């Protein structure tokens, strides 16, 4: 893995403590797979596109991409105790395979976001259920407000940001906030993001390096 932001999994020090993990970027819960031994990390670039295949990210329902895109492998884990206590989620991202040789001499930035925060009922990248029902119902009445046009802290979501420099050195790995940015661009297939460093996420109101 040329580009990796690994973290040690939380150690189950307390008696009866268990670690649960996910491999699809969702936040782990007690119903997630139980960590019982080493995980196998693979080149997953040939797996189906999950993000690029979303059809509710544009009002016009623009055609989605069909060509495979380069993909990283995301591991998220948390420890759970018998008394209901649990640790913070640990996130690690790995880009594995020969295909990533083309990123040498380039800065690489990774954003890991819970998929529901982007594409769910209150996802910031989608038109939203009100618009979807209006569209499927024949566009009767006024166009409903869409999620992707909403602003403010209520439409900011958590993300784990990892940044590698041109030498492949990890120079920043931090939690931060993410929102959609722009006006007309919000309705396009490719969207822009604004990133926010806050004490709520990382303990700091500024990023430690220039983005």
């Amino acid at each position: 893995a040329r580009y990796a932001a690994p973290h040690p999994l939380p150690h189950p020090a307390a008696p009866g403590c268990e670690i649960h993990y996910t491999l699809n970027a969702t936040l782990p819960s007690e119903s997630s797979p139980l960590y019982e031994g080493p995980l196998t990390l693979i080149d997953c670039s040939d797996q189906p596109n999950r993000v690029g295949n979303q059809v509710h990210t544009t009002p016009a329902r623009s055609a989605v991409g069909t060509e495979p895109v380069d993909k990283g492998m995301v591991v998220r884990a948390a420890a759970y105790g018998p008394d209901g206590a649990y640790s913070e989620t640990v996130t690690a991202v790995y880009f594995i395979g020969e295909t990533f040789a083309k990123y040498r001499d380039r800065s690489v930035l990774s954003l890991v976001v819970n998929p529901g925060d982007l594409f769910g009922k209150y996802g910031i990248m989608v038109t939203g259920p009100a618009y979807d029902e209006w569209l499927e119902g024949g566009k009767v009445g006024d166009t409903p407000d869409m999620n992707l046009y909403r602003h403010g802290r209520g439409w900011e979501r958590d993300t784990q940001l990892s940044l590698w420099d041109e030498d492949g050195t990890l120079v920043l790995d931090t939690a931060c906030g993410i929102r959609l940015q722009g006006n007309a661009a919000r309705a396009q297939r490719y969207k822009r993001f604004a990133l926010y460093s806050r004490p709520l996420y990382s303990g700091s109101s500024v990023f430690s390096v220039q983005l």
Side-chain angles (χ1 to χ4, degrees):
R2 176 172 174 78
Y3 302 102
H7 299 269
L9 293 179
H11 182 68
C17 187
E18 295 180 337
I19 295 174
H20 293 268
Y21 70 92
T22 64
L23 300 177
N24 60 1
T26 58
L27 293 171
S29 68
E30 289 186 275
S31 61
S32 301
L34 177 66
Y35 177 73
E36 299 179 292
L39 302 177
T40 300
L41 306 180
I42 62 172
D43 178 358
C44 52
S45 293
D46 60 350
Q47 295 182 4
N49 299 340
R50 290 190 297 122
V51 172
N53 284 352
Q54 300 289 333
V55 298
H56 299 285
T57 58
T58 65
R61 297 295 188 259
S62 301
V64 298
T66 57
E67 291 297 320
V69 298
D70 300 335
K71 303 176 183 70
M73 188 168 190
V74 177
V75 182
R76 310 192 87 173
Y80 294 84
D83 58 354
Y86 55 91
S87 72
E88 293 184 359
T89 296
V90 170
T91 299
V93 59
Y94 302 87
F95 296 103
I96 300 171
E98 293 300 322
T99 184
F100 292 102
K102 63 188 176 187
Y103 294 101
R104 290 178 181 141
D105 303 321
R106 300 184 189 181
S107 294
V108 175
L109 187 145
S110 164
L111 298 172
V112 177
V113 189
N114 187 44
D117 287 341
L118 298 180
F119 308 116
K121 181 178 180 180
Y122 299 104
I124 63 174
M125 284 187 65
V126 295
T127 49
Y131 179 88
D132 298 342
E133 292 175 6
W134 173 81
L135 190 65
E136 294 167 3
K139 302 182 180 180
V140 177
D142 295 335
T143 306
D145 292 336
M146 291 179 258
N147 291 12
L148 52 81
Y149 280 122
R150 297 184 186 274
H151 297 76
R153 283 290 296 272
W155 294 90
E156 182 176 313
R157 300 293 182 260
D158 299 3
T159 184
Q160 183 70 26
L161 182 158
S162 301
L163 176 67
W164 295 264
D165 65 14
E166 293 86 348
D167 297 325
T169 301
L170 183 66
V171 295
L172 181 63
D173 191 39
T174 184
C176 66
I178 188 172
R179 300 187 201 176
L180 280 195
Q181 184 183 45
N183 291 311
R186 291 169 178 258
Q188 303 302 314
R189 178 182 169 198
Y190 298 106
K191 306 187 190 304
R192 303 170 183 171
F193 293 112
L195 301 173
Y196 298 86
S197 182
R198 303 188 190 279
L200 171 68
Y201 302 120
S202 64
S204 175
S205 60
V206 296
F207 292 109
S208 60
V209 301
Q210 291 292 326
L211 297 182

